[in-house]
Amino acid sequence: MEIKELEALTGLGRDAIRYYERRGLLGVVPRGSNNYRDYPSSLVRQLKLLRAMQALGFSLDEIRSVLEGMRSQGIDCVDGARLLAAKRDVVDAQRRELCRISRLLRAEQVRLEARARKHGRM
């Protein structure tokens, strides 16, 4: 697919896609007979995962190792499973921390709403 299709399917701009390509995160992107890049449809899922992992604070090197593992047919299954388990542990820890922060924010919101009602402002 052309880059404009990949942009539409992922919500990423072409500059971001090309940046990830230059950083080696997209693997080898073949070129068609017209010399345009021919992005495989599998990149849609990989780019969405990349952005999600990046938003969670994973480094590009960590993301690269996950994406390479997903693309590799010859990955050692034990090593791949360990890598993904370690990444899941990090995500689960971040999720727990986000839930804790959400509870604190909710408690503060309730306190402020009660105070506003007490002063007739709600």
Side-chain angles (χ1 to χ4, degrees), residues 12-120:
L12 294 171
R14 70 184 55 226
D15 291 338
I17 294 168
R18 293 230 168 96
Y19 172 77
Y20 294 138
E21 186 178 357
R22 282 191 308 274
R23 294 293 307 261
L25 295 163
L26 306 185
V28 176
V29 177
R31 291 186 179 263
S33 58
N34 58 4
N35 204 31
Y36 290 169
R37 290 172 181 87
D38 184 17
Y39 295 96
S41 59
S42 62
L43 281 183
V44 173
R45 189 177 117 210
Q46 291 178 37
L47 282 167
K48 288 180 178 181
L49 176 61
L50 184 157
R51 293 297 288 182
M53 290 180 72
Q54 197 173 32
L56 290 170
F58 286 95
S59 72
L60 292 181
D61 287 336
E62 290 173 315
I63 294 168
R64 180 182 297 106
S65 67
V66 170
L67 294 177
E68 286 174 354
M70 289 173 62
R71 283 190 295 268
S72 174
Q73 298 301 315
I75 189 172
D76 179 288
C77 293
V78 172
D79 289 343
R82 283 186 190 132
L83 170 70
L84 294 178
K87 300 304 179 204
R88 284 188 60 230
D89 288 345
V90 172
V91 169
D92 289 344
Q94 288 176 330
R95 184 181 46 120
R96 285 189 300 274
E97 183 63 11
L98 286 170
C99 287
R100 185 186 72 77
I101 291 169
S102 179
R103 286 189 303 272
L104 290 172
L105 292 172
R106 175 70 178 143
E108 185 62 13
Q109 175 190 352
V110 167
R111 184 189 71 77
L112 291 170
E113 288 171 348
R115 188 172 175 194
R117 277 192 297 278
K118 181 180 175 181
H119 292 90

